[in-house]
PDB file of all heavy atoms in Angstrom:
ATOM      1  N   THR A   1       5.229  -2.500   8.602  1.00 90.00           N
ATOM      2  CA  THR A   1       4.768  -2.338   9.989  1.00 90.00           C
ATOM      3  C   THR A   1       5.810  -1.592  10.785  1.00 90.00           C
ATOM      4  O   THR A   1       7.000  -1.896  10.709  1.00 90.00           O
ATOM      5  CB  THR A   1       4.524  -3.703  10.624  1.00 90.00           C
ATOM      6  OG1 THR A   1       3.543  -4.419   9.851  1.00 90.00           O
ATOM      7  CG2 THR A   1       4.041  -3.581  12.057  1.00 90.00           C
ATOM      8  N   ASN A   2       5.383  -0.620  11.583  1.00 88.00           N
ATOM      9  CA  ASN A   2       6.249   0.092  12.484  1.00 88.00           C
ATOM     10  C   ASN A   2       6.581  -0.843  13.648  1.00 88.00           C
ATOM     11  O   ASN A   2       5.696  -1.305  14.347  1.00 88.00           O
ATOM     12  CB  ASN A   2       5.523   1.350  13.003  1.00 88.00           C
ATOM     13  CG  ASN A   2       6.362   2.165  13.963  1.00 88.00           C
ATOM     14  OD1 ASN A   2       7.150   1.649  14.722  1.00 88.00           O
ATOM     15  ND2 ASN A   2       6.151   3.467  13.927  1.00 88.00           N
ATOM     16  N   PRO A   3       7.866  -1.149  13.856  1.00 91.00           N
ATOM     17  CA  PRO A   3       8.219  -2.127  14.910  1.00 91.00           C
ATOM     18  C   PRO A   3       7.935  -1.638  16.328  1.00 91.00           C
ATOM     19  O   PRO A   3       7.841  -2.447  17.245  1.00 91.00           O
ATOM     20  CB  PRO A   3       9.721  -2.325  14.705  1.00 91.00           C
ATOM     21  CG  PRO A   3      10.200  -1.105  13.991  1.00 91.00           C
ATOM     22  CD  PRO A   3       9.033  -0.637  13.154  1.00 91.00           C
ATOM     23  N   PHE A   4       7.731  -0.330  16.514  1.00 93.00           N
ATOM     24  CA  PHE A   4       7.473   0.203  17.845  1.00 93.00           C
ATOM     25  C   PHE A   4       5.976   0.182  18.197  1.00 93.00           C
ATOM     26  O   PHE A   4       5.612   0.018  19.348  1.00 93.00           O
ATOM     27  CB  PHE A   4       8.000   1.626  17.970  1.00 93.00           C
ATOM     28  CG  PHE A   4       9.496   1.675  17.755  1.00 93.00           C
ATOM     29  CD1 PHE A   4      10.006   2.193  16.579  1.00 93.00           C
ATOM     30  CD2 PHE A   4      10.382   1.221  18.737  1.00 93.00           C
ATOM     31  CE1 PHE A   4      11.397   2.237  16.375  1.00 93.00           C
ATOM     32  CE2 PHE A   4      11.746   1.253  18.531  1.00 93.00           C
ATOM     33  CZ  PHE A   4      12.254   1.788  17.341  1.00 93.00           C
ATOM     34  N   THR A   5       5.123   0.380  17.188  1.00 90.00           N
ATOM     35  CA  THR A   5       3.668   0.443  17.450  1.00 90.00           C
ATOM     36  C   THR A   5       2.939  -0.796  16.967  1.00 90.00           C
ATOM     37  O   THR A   5       1.767  -0.984  17.316  1.00 90.00           O
ATOM     38  CB  THR A   5       3.058   1.666  16.738  1.00 90.00           C
ATOM     39  OG1 THR A   5       3.213   1.499  15.335  1.00 90.00           O
ATOM     40  CG2 THR A   5       3.706   2.958  17.216  1.00 90.00           C
ATOM     41  N   ASN A   6       3.607  -1.622  16.129  1.00 91.00           N
ATOM     42  CA  ASN A   6       2.949  -2.766  15.483  1.00 91.00           C
ATOM     43  C   ASN A   6       1.775  -2.357  14.609  1.00 91.00           C
ATOM     44  O   ASN A   6       0.854  -3.128  14.379  1.00 91.00           O
ATOM     45  CB  ASN A   6       2.552  -3.840  16.495  1.00 91.00           C
ATOM     46  CG  ASN A   6       3.750  -4.588  17.008  1.00 91.00           C
ATOM     47  OD1 ASN A   6       4.724  -4.774  16.309  1.00 91.00           O
ATOM     48  ND2 ASN A   6       3.674  -4.990  18.264  1.00 91.00           N
ATOM     49  N   LYS A   7       1.783  -1.114  14.153  1.00 89.00           N
ATOM     50  CA  LYS A   7       0.776  -0.627  13.207  1.00 89.00           C
ATOM     51  C   LYS A   7       1.483  -0.284  11.914  1.00 89.00           C
ATOM     52  O   LYS A   7       2.702  -0.194  11.873  1.00 89.00           O
ATOM     53  CB  LYS A   7       0.067   0.613  13.759  1.00 89.00           C
ATOM     54  CG  LYS A   7      -0.746   0.347  15.023  1.00 89.00           C
ATOM     55  CD  LYS A   7      -1.433   1.605  15.483  1.00 89.00           C
ATOM     56  CE  LYS A   7      -2.285   1.332  16.704  1.00 89.00           C
ATOM     57  NZ  LYS A   7      -2.978   2.537  17.147  1.00 89.00           N
ATOM     58  N   GLY A   8       0.725  -0.031  10.896  1.00 88.00           N
ATOM     59  CA  GLY A   8       1.321   0.354   9.611  1.00 88.00           C
ATOM     60  C   GLY A   8       2.070   1.677   9.713  1.00 88.00           C
ATOM     61  O   GLY A   8       1.733   2.529  10.561  1.00 88.00           O
ATOM     62  N   VAL A   9       3.066   1.863   8.866  1.00 88.00           N
ATOM     63  CA  VAL A   9       3.845   3.092   8.911  1.00 88.00           C
ATOM     64  C   VAL A   9       3.142   4.271   8.222  1.00 88.00           C
ATOM     65  O   VAL A   9       3.497   5.419   8.440  1.00 88.00           O
ATOM     66  CB  VAL A   9       5.272   2.919   8.321  1.00 88.00           C
ATOM     67  CG1 VAL A   9       6.063   1.935   9.136  1.00 88.00           C
ATOM     68  CG2 VAL A   9       5.209   2.500   6.877  1.00 88.00           C
ATOM     69  N   VAL A  10       2.128   3.979   7.395  1.00 88.00           N
ATOM     70  CA  VAL A  10       1.362   5.033   6.725  1.00 88.00           C
ATOM     71  C   VAL A  10      -0.043   5.000   7.301  1.00 88.00           C
ATOM     72  O   VAL A  10      -0.760   4.025   7.213  1.00 88.00           O
ATOM     73  CB  VAL A  10       1.301   4.792   5.201  1.00 88.00           C
ATOM     74  CG1 VAL A  10       0.473   5.853   4.501  1.00 88.00           C
ATOM     75  CG2 VAL A  10       2.708   4.728   4.606  1.00 88.00           C
ATOM     76  N   TRP A  11      -0.439   6.097   7.951  1.00 90.00           N
ATOM     77  CA  TRP A  11      -1.767   6.247   8.559  1.00 90.00           C
ATOM     78  C   TRP A  11      -2.047   5.085   9.522  1.00 90.00           C
ATOM     79  O   TRP A  11      -3.173   4.588   9.587  1.00 90.00           O
ATOM     80  CB  TRP A  11      -2.845   6.345   7.491  1.00 90.00           C
ATOM     81  CG  TRP A  11      -2.973   7.697   6.845  1.00 90.00           C
ATOM     82  CD1 TRP A  11      -2.159   8.206   5.879  1.00 90.00           C
ATOM     83  CD2 TRP A  11      -3.932   8.694   7.144  1.00 90.00           C
ATOM     84  NE1 TRP A  11      -2.563   9.463   5.546  1.00 90.00           N
ATOM     85  CE2 TRP A  11      -3.663   9.789   6.303  1.00 90.00           C
ATOM     86  CE3 TRP A  11      -4.965   8.797   8.016  1.00 90.00           C
ATOM     87  CZ2 TRP A  11      -4.407  10.944   6.310  1.00 90.00           C
ATOM     88  CZ3 TRP A  11      -5.733   9.940   8.028  1.00 90.00           C
ATOM     89  CH2 TRP A  11      -5.443  10.998   7.177  1.00 90.00           C
ATOM     90  N   ASP A  12      -1.072   4.622  10.216  1.00 89.00           N
ATOM     91  CA  ASP A  12      -1.220   3.491  11.171  1.00 89.00           C
ATOM     92  C   ASP A  12      -1.833   2.270  10.529  1.00 89.00           C
ATOM     93  O   ASP A  12      -2.461   1.440  11.189  1.00 89.00           O
ATOM     94  CB  ASP A  12      -2.042   3.911  12.388  1.00 89.00           C
ATOM     95  CG  ASP A  12      -1.320   4.868  13.312  1.00 89.00           C
ATOM     96  OD1 ASP A  12      -0.066   4.856  13.309  1.00 89.00           O
ATOM     97  OD2 ASP A  12      -1.994   5.630  14.051  1.00 89.00           O
ATOM     98  N   GLY A  13      -1.629   2.116   9.228  1.00 87.00           N
ATOM     99  CA  GLY A  13      -2.158   0.950   8.502  1.00 87.00           C
ATOM    100  C   GLY A  13      -3.602   1.063   8.099  1.00 87.00           C
ATOM    101  O   GLY A  13      -4.188   0.147   7.543  1.00 87.00           O
ATOM    102  N   ASN A  14      -4.219   2.225   8.349  1.00 90.00           N
ATOM    103  CA  ASN A  14      -5.622   2.449   7.977  1.00 90.00           C
ATOM    104  C   ASN A  14      -5.647   3.042   6.562  1.00 90.00           C
ATOM    105  O   ASN A  14      -5.823   4.240   6.380  1.00 90.00           O
ATOM    106  CB  ASN A  14      -6.317   3.342   8.999  1.00 90.00           C
ATOM    107  CG  ASN A  14      -7.812   3.300   8.855  1.00 90.00           C
ATOM    108  OD1 ASN A  14      -8.372   2.403   8.253  1.00 90.00           O
ATOM    109  ND2 ASN A  14      -8.461   4.298   9.402  1.00 90.00           N
ATOM    110  N   ASN A  15      -5.423   2.179   5.566  1.00 90.00           N
ATOM    111  CA  ASN A  15      -5.294   2.589   4.166  1.00 90.00           C
ATOM    112  C   ASN A  15      -6.398   1.936   3.318  1.00 90.00           C
ATOM    113  O   ASN A  15      -6.812   0.821   3.616  1.00 90.00           O
ATOM    114  CB  ASN A  15      -3.934   2.163   3.595  1.00 90.00           C
ATOM    115  CG  ASN A  15      -2.816   2.366   4.568  1.00 90.00           C
ATOM    116  OD1 ASN A  15      -2.307   1.394   5.119  1.00 90.00           O
ATOM    117  ND2 ASN A  15      -2.416   3.594   4.810  1.00 90.00           N
ATOM    118  N   PRO A  16      -6.846   2.596   2.264  1.00 91.00           N
ATOM    119  CA  PRO A  16      -7.859   1.980   1.400  1.00 91.00           C
ATOM    120  C   PRO A  16      -7.457   0.584   0.912  1.00 91.00           C
ATOM    121  O   PRO A  16      -8.319  -0.283   0.748  1.00 91.00           O
ATOM    122  CB  PRO A  16      -7.982   2.966   0.231  1.00 91.00           C
ATOM    123  CG  PRO A  16      -7.639   4.282   0.840  1.00 91.00           C
ATOM    124  CD  PRO A  16      -6.539   3.967   1.829  1.00 91.00           C
ATOM    125  N   ILE A  17      -6.166   0.368   0.697  1.00 88.00           N
ATOM    126  CA  ILE A  17      -5.747  -0.928   0.171  1.00 88.00           C
ATOM    127  C   ILE A  17      -5.940  -2.066   1.202  1.00 88.00           C
ATOM    128  O   ILE A  17      -5.988  -3.238   0.851  1.00 88.00           O
ATOM    129  CB  ILE A  17      -4.269  -0.862  -0.325  1.00 88.00           C
ATOM    130  CG1 ILE A  17      -4.013  -1.968  -1.316  1.00 88.00           C
ATOM    131  CG2 ILE A  17      -3.308  -0.868   0.830  1.00 88.00           C
ATOM    132  CD1 ILE A  17      -2.762  -1.786  -2.126  1.00 88.00           C
ATOM    133  N   HIS A  18      -6.086  -1.691   2.466  1.00 88.00           N
ATOM    134  CA  HIS A  18      -6.292  -2.691   3.516  1.00 88.00           C
ATOM    135  C   HIS A  18      -7.741  -2.741   4.010  1.00 88.00           C
ATOM    136  O   HIS A  18      -8.026  -3.434   4.980  1.00 88.00           O
ATOM    137  CB  HIS A  18      -5.380  -2.385   4.712  1.00 88.00           C
ATOM    138  CG  HIS A  18      -3.921  -2.490   4.382  1.00 88.00           C
ATOM    139  ND1 HIS A  18      -3.337  -3.669   4.043  1.00 88.00           N
ATOM    140  CD2 HIS A  18      -2.968  -1.552   4.344  1.00 88.00           C
ATOM    141  CE1 HIS A  18      -2.050  -3.455   3.803  1.00 88.00           C
ATOM    142  NE2 HIS A  18      -1.809  -2.181   3.983  1.00 88.00           N
ATOM    143  N   ARG A  19      -8.606  -2.008   3.374  1.00 90.00           N
ATOM    144  CA  ARG A  19     -10.011  -1.947   3.821  1.00 90.00           C
ATOM    145  C   ARG A  19     -10.889  -2.816   2.911  1.00 90.00           C
ATOM    146  O   ARG A  19     -10.847  -2.687   1.684  1.00 90.00           O
ATOM    147  CB  ARG A  19     -10.514  -0.498   3.784  1.00 90.00           C
ATOM    148  CG  ARG A  19      -9.793   0.486   4.703  1.00 90.00           C
ATOM    149  CD  ARG A  19     -10.066   0.240   6.160  1.00 90.00           C
ATOM    150  NE  ARG A  19     -11.468   0.339   6.470  1.00 90.00           N
ATOM    151  CZ  ARG A  19     -11.976   1.219   7.313  1.00 90.00           C
ATOM    152  NH1 ARG A  19     -11.187   2.083   7.924  1.00 90.00           N
ATOM    153  NH2 ARG A  19     -13.268   1.235   7.555  1.00 90.00           N
ATOM    154  N   ASP A  20     -11.676  -3.674   3.511  1.00 92.00           N
ATOM    155  CA  ASP A  20     -12.553  -4.554   2.757  1.00 92.00           C
ATOM    156  C   ASP A  20     -13.647  -3.789   1.990  1.00 92.00           C
ATOM    157  O   ASP A  20     -14.194  -4.312   1.023  1.00 92.00           O
ATOM    158  CB  ASP A  20     -13.228  -5.573   3.684  1.00 92.00           C
ATOM    159  CG  ASP A  20     -12.248  -6.581   4.251  1.00 92.00           C
ATOM    160  OD1 ASP A  20     -11.204  -6.819   3.627  1.00 92.00           O
ATOM    161  OD2 ASP A  20     -12.547  -7.137   5.313  1.00 92.00           O
ATOM    162  N   GLU A  21     -13.932  -2.561   2.400  1.00 94.00           N
ATOM    163  CA  GLU A  21     -14.966  -1.794   1.739  1.00 94.00           C
ATOM    164  C   GLU A  21     -14.559  -1.356   0.330  1.00 94.00           C
ATOM    165  O   GLU A  21     -15.397  -0.990  -0.482  1.00 94.00           O
ATOM    166  CB  GLU A  21     -15.300  -0.517   2.534  1.00 94.00           C
ATOM    167  CG  GLU A  21     -15.847  -0.766   3.901  1.00 94.00           C
ATOM    168  CD  GLU A  21     -14.753  -0.851   4.983  1.00 94.00           C
ATOM    169  OE1 GLU A  21     -13.563  -0.815   4.654  1.00 94.00           O
ATOM    170  OE2 GLU A  21     -15.133  -0.976   6.145  1.00 94.00           O
ATOM    171  N   PHE A  22     -13.265  -1.372   0.036  1.00 92.00           N
ATOM    172  CA  PHE A  22     -12.754  -0.908  -1.245  1.00 92.00           C
ATOM    173  C   PHE A  22     -12.449  -2.075  -2.174  1.00 92.00           C
ATOM    174  O   PHE A  22     -11.704  -2.993  -1.800  1.00 92.00           O
ATOM    175  CB  PHE A  22     -11.456  -0.121  -1.058  1.00 92.00           C
ATOM    176  CG  PHE A  22     -11.663   1.248  -0.444  1.00 92.00           C
ATOM    177  CD1 PHE A  22     -11.772   1.405   0.929  1.00 92.00           C
ATOM    178  CD2 PHE A  22     -11.756   2.378  -1.251  1.00 92.00           C
ATOM    179  CE1 PHE A  22     -11.947   2.661   1.496  1.00 92.00           C
ATOM    180  CE2 PHE A  22     -11.939   3.639  -0.702  1.00 92.00           C
ATOM    181  CZ  PHE A  22     -12.046   3.775   0.686  1.00 92.00           C
ATOM    182  N   ASP A  23     -12.992  -2.049  -3.382  1.00 92.00           N
ATOM    183  CA  ASP A  23     -12.546  -2.959  -4.448  1.00 92.00           C
ATOM    184  C   ASP A  23     -11.166  -2.495  -4.846  1.00 92.00           C
ATOM    185  O   ASP A  23     -10.920  -1.286  -5.001  1.00 92.00           O
ATOM    186  CB  ASP A  23     -13.473  -2.895  -5.669  1.00 92.00           C
ATOM    187  CG  ASP A  23     -14.842  -3.498  -5.388  1.00 92.00           C
ATOM    188  OD1 ASP A  23     -14.927  -4.406  -4.568  1.00 92.00           O
ATOM    189  OD2 ASP A  23     -15.797  -3.023  -6.039  1.00 92.00           O
ATOM    190  N   GLN A  24     -10.246  -3.437  -5.017  1.00 90.00           N
ATOM    191  CA  GLN A  24      -8.876  -3.108  -5.351  1.00 90.00           C
ATOM    192  C   GLN A  24      -8.600  -3.280  -6.842  1.00 90.00           C
ATOM    193  O   GLN A  24      -8.973  -4.308  -7.413  1.00 90.00           O
ATOM    194  CB  GLN A  24      -7.893  -3.970  -4.542  1.00 90.00           C
ATOM    195  CG  GLN A  24      -8.087  -3.868  -3.051  1.00 90.00           C
ATOM    196  CD  GLN A  24      -7.852  -2.471  -2.519  1.00 90.00           C
ATOM    197  OE1 GLN A  24      -6.996  -1.738  -2.994  1.00 90.00           O
ATOM    198  NE2 GLN A  24      -8.617  -2.088  -1.493  1.00 90.00           N
ATOM    199  N   ASN A  25      -7.986  -2.295  -7.450  1.00 89.00           N
ATOM    200  CA  ASN A  25      -7.675  -2.311  -8.886  1.00 89.00           C
ATOM    201  C   ASN A  25      -6.248  -1.919  -9.106  1.00 89.00           C
ATOM    202  O   ASN A  25      -5.886  -0.763  -8.958  1.00 89.00           O
ATOM    203  CB  ASN A  25      -8.612  -1.326  -9.614  1.00 89.00           C
ATOM    204  CG  ASN A  25     -10.077  -1.655  -9.382  1.00 89.00           C
ATOM    205  OD1 ASN A  25     -10.609  -2.513 -10.019  1.00 89.00           O
ATOM    206  ND2 ASN A  25     -10.700  -0.966  -8.428  1.00 89.00           N
ATOM    207  N   PHE A  26      -5.394  -2.922  -9.450  1.00 83.00           N
ATOM    208  CA  PHE A  26      -3.970  -2.675  -9.672  1.00 83.00           C
ATOM    209  C   PHE A  26      -3.722  -2.418 -11.152  1.00 83.00           C
ATOM    210  O   PHE A  26      -4.242  -3.124 -12.015  1.00 83.00           O
ATOM    211  CB  PHE A  26      -3.168  -3.904  -9.201  1.00 83.00           C
ATOM    212  CG  PHE A  26      -1.739  -3.865  -9.607  1.00 83.00           C
ATOM    213  CD1 PHE A  26      -0.835  -3.045  -8.941  1.00 83.00           C
ATOM    214  CD2 PHE A  26      -1.271  -4.644 -10.645  1.00 83.00           C
ATOM    215  CE1 PHE A  26       0.489  -3.013  -9.321  1.00 83.00           C
ATOM    216  CE2 PHE A  26       0.051  -4.610 -11.032  1.00 83.00           C
ATOM    217  CZ  PHE A  26       0.931  -3.795 -10.367  1.00 83.00           C
ATOM    218  N   TYR A  27      -2.905  -1.418 -11.432  1.00 83.00           N
ATOM    219  CA  TYR A  27      -2.555  -1.074 -12.820  1.00 83.00           C
ATOM    220  C   TYR A  27      -1.037  -0.971 -12.923  1.00 83.00           C
ATOM    221  O   TYR A  27      -0.351  -0.657 -11.963  1.00 83.00           O
ATOM    222  CB  TYR A  27      -3.169   0.274 -13.209  1.00 83.00           C
ATOM    223  CG  TYR A  27      -4.664   0.250 -13.186  1.00 83.00           C
ATOM    224  CD1 TYR A  27      -5.382   0.600 -12.035  1.00 83.00           C
ATOM    225  CD2 TYR A  27      -5.380  -0.165 -14.307  1.00 83.00           C
ATOM    226  CE1 TYR A  27      -6.759   0.545 -12.027  1.00 83.00           C
ATOM    227  CE2 TYR A  27      -6.757  -0.207 -14.303  1.00 83.00           C
ATOM    228  CZ  TYR A  27      -7.447   0.135 -13.142  1.00 83.00           C
ATOM    229  OH  TYR A  27      -8.815   0.087 -13.120  1.00 83.00           O
ATOM    230  N   ARG A  28      -0.516  -1.239 -14.112  1.00 79.00           N
ATOM    231  CA  ARG A  28       0.918  -1.023 -14.347  1.00 79.00           C
ATOM    232  C   ARG A  28       1.174   0.475 -14.256  1.00 79.00           C
ATOM    233  O   ARG A  28       0.419   1.281 -14.754  1.00 79.00           O
ATOM    234  CB  ARG A  28       1.357  -1.546 -15.690  1.00 79.00           C
ATOM    235  CG  ARG A  28       1.445  -3.074 -15.678  1.00 79.00           C
ATOM    236  CD  ARG A  28       2.149  -3.642 -16.883  1.00 79.00           C
ATOM    237  NE  ARG A  28       3.461  -3.093 -17.137  1.00 79.00           N
ATOM    238  CZ  ARG A  28       4.599  -3.474 -16.543  1.00 79.00           C
ATOM    239  NH1 ARG A  28       4.549  -4.382 -15.605  1.00 79.00           N
ATOM    240  NH2 ARG A  28       5.762  -2.961 -16.878  1.00 79.00           N
ATOM    241  N   GLY A  29       2.254   0.849 -13.586  1.00 76.00           N
ATOM    242  CA  GLY A  29       2.593   2.247 -13.391  1.00 76.00           C
ATOM    243  C   GLY A  29       3.637   2.750 -14.378  1.00 76.00           C
ATOM    244  O   GLY A  29       4.231   1.973 -15.125  1.00 76.00           O
ATOM    245  N   PRO A  30       3.883   4.039 -14.372  1.00 75.00           N
ATOM    246  CA  PRO A  30       4.810   4.636 -15.317  1.00 75.00           C
ATOM    247  C   PRO A  30       6.257   4.221 -15.098  1.00 75.00           C
ATOM    248  O   PRO A  30       7.055   4.323 -16.031  1.00 75.00           O
ATOM    249  CB  PRO A  30       4.638   6.146 -15.087  1.00 75.00           C
ATOM    250  CG  PRO A  30       4.104   6.256 -13.691  1.00 75.00           C
ATOM    251  CD  PRO A  30       3.294   5.024 -13.459  1.00 75.00           C
ATOM    252  N   ASP A  31       6.616   3.755 -13.919  1.00 72.00           N
ATOM    253  CA  ASP A  31       8.000   3.413 -13.624  1.00 72.00           C
ATOM    254  C   ASP A  31       8.188   1.907 -13.370  1.00 72.00           C
ATOM    255  O   ASP A  31       9.189   1.505 -12.769  1.00 72.00           O
ATOM    256  CB  ASP A  31       8.497   4.210 -12.411  1.00 72.00           C
ATOM    257  CG  ASP A  31       8.447   5.705 -12.673  1.00 72.00           C
ATOM    258  OD1 ASP A  31       8.868   6.118 -13.768  1.00 72.00           O
ATOM    259  OD2 ASP A  31       7.989   6.445 -11.788  1.00 72.00           O
ATOM    260  N   ASP A  32       7.253   1.082 -13.799  1.00 71.00           N
ATOM    261  CA  ASP A  32       7.352  -0.354 -13.502  1.00 71.00           C
ATOM    262  C   ASP A  32       8.651  -0.993 -13.990  1.00 71.00           C
ATOM    263  O   ASP A  32       9.251  -1.793 -13.286  1.00 71.00           O
ATOM    264  CB  ASP A  32       6.165  -1.118 -14.095  1.00 71.00           C
ATOM    265  CG  ASP A  32       4.909  -0.961 -13.246  1.00 71.00           C
ATOM    266  OD1 ASP A  32       4.980  -0.258 -12.232  1.00 71.00           O
ATOM    267  OD2 ASP A  32       3.890  -1.552 -13.601  1.00 71.00           O
ATOM    268  N   ASP A  33       9.100  -0.620 -15.193  1.00 72.00           N
ATOM    269  CA  ASP A  33      10.341  -1.222 -15.695  1.00 72.00           C
ATOM    270  C   ASP A  33      11.538  -0.853 -14.848  1.00 72.00           C
ATOM    271  O   ASP A  33      12.400  -1.665 -14.582  1.00 72.00           O
ATOM    272  CB  ASP A  33      10.572  -0.810 -17.159  1.00 72.00           C
ATOM    273  CG  ASP A  33       9.545  -1.402 -18.098  1.00 72.00           C
ATOM    274  OD1 ASP A  33       8.972  -2.460 -17.753  1.00 72.00           O
ATOM    275  OD2 ASP A  33       9.308  -0.815 -19.157  1.00 72.00           O
ATOM    276  N   GLU A  34      11.593   0.410 -14.362  1.00 69.00           N
ATOM    277  CA  GLU A  34      12.703   0.853 -13.523  1.00 69.00           C
ATOM    278  C   GLU A  34      12.622   0.235 -12.135  1.00 69.00           C
ATOM    279  O   GLU A  34      13.623  -0.014 -11.487  1.00 69.00           O
ATOM    280  CB  GLU A  34      12.752   2.376 -13.420  1.00 69.00           C
ATOM    281  CG  GLU A  34      13.150   3.075 -14.708  1.00 69.00           C
ATOM    282  CD  GLU A  34      11.989   3.212 -15.703  1.00 69.00           C
ATOM    283  OE1 GLU A  34      10.826   2.977 -15.330  1.00 69.00           O
ATOM    284  OE2 GLU A  34      12.258   3.550 -16.866  1.00 69.00           O
ATOM    285  N   LEU A  35      11.406   0.063 -11.611  1.00 64.00           N
ATOM    286  CA  LEU A  35      11.217  -0.436 -10.250  1.00 64.00           C
ATOM    287  C   LEU A  35      11.302  -1.943 -10.166  1.00 64.00           C
ATOM    288  O   LEU A  35      11.433  -2.488  -9.091  1.00 64.00           O
ATOM    289  CB  LEU A  35       9.864   0.007  -9.692  1.00 64.00           C
ATOM    290  CG  LEU A  35       9.739   1.508  -9.395  1.00 64.00           C
ATOM    291  CD1 LEU A  35       8.301   1.823  -9.012  1.00 64.00           C
ATOM    292  CD2 LEU A  35      10.672   1.886  -8.272  1.00 64.00           C
ATOM    293  N   ASP A  36      11.191  -2.653 -11.284  1.00 62.00           N
ATOM    294  CA  ASP A  36      11.161  -4.101 -11.274  1.00 62.00           C
ATOM    295  C   ASP A  36      12.337  -4.656 -10.493  1.00 62.00           C
ATOM    296  O   ASP A  36      13.492  -4.495 -10.868  1.00 62.00           O
ATOM    297  CB  ASP A  36      11.154  -4.633 -12.700  1.00 62.00           C
ATOM    298  CG  ASP A  36      10.947  -6.139 -12.718  1.00 62.00           C
ATOM    299  OD1 ASP A  36      10.232  -6.665 -11.842  1.00 62.00           O
ATOM    300  OD2 ASP A  36      11.507  -6.790 -13.617  1.00 62.00           O
ATOM    301  N   GLY A  37      12.041  -5.261  -9.366  1.00 56.00           N
ATOM    302  CA  GLY A  37      13.068  -5.867  -8.543  1.00 56.00           C
ATOM    303  C   GLY A  37      13.789  -4.911  -7.602  1.00 56.00           C
ATOM    304  O   GLY A  37      14.607  -5.346  -6.800  1.00 56.00           O
ATOM    305  N   ALA A  38      13.494  -3.610  -7.668  1.00 52.00           N
ATOM    306  CA  ALA A  38      14.200  -2.656  -6.827  1.00 52.00           C
ATOM    307  C   ALA A  38      13.842  -2.816  -5.371  1.00 52.00           C
ATOM    308  O   ALA A  38      14.708  -2.713  -4.505  1.00 52.00           O
ATOM    309  CB  ALA A  38      13.914  -1.226  -7.302  1.00 52.00           C
ATOM    310  N   ILE A  39      12.585  -3.032  -5.057  1.00 46.00           N
ATOM    311  CA  ILE A  39      12.177  -3.228  -3.653  1.00 46.00           C
ATOM    312  C   ILE A  39      11.645  -4.645  -3.512  1.00 46.00           C
ATOM    313  O   ILE A  39      12.233  -5.469  -2.881  1.00 46.00           O
ATOM    314  CB  ILE A  39      11.106  -2.191  -3.251  1.00 46.00           C
ATOM    315  CG1 ILE A  39      11.670  -0.778  -3.407  1.00 46.00           C
ATOM    316  CG2 ILE A  39      10.665  -2.398  -1.814  1.00 46.00           C
ATOM    317  CD1 ILE A  39      10.646   0.331  -3.204  1.00 46.00           C
TER     318      ILE A  39
END
């Protein structure tokens, strides 16, 4: 969240991942082992 606008930092939070109209499908990515615990 952007602390100045209280909206998301990407497209003001209007993202497919936050929309009920979209079924969400998570997959392991190519860099999962490197990213594990990084963020």
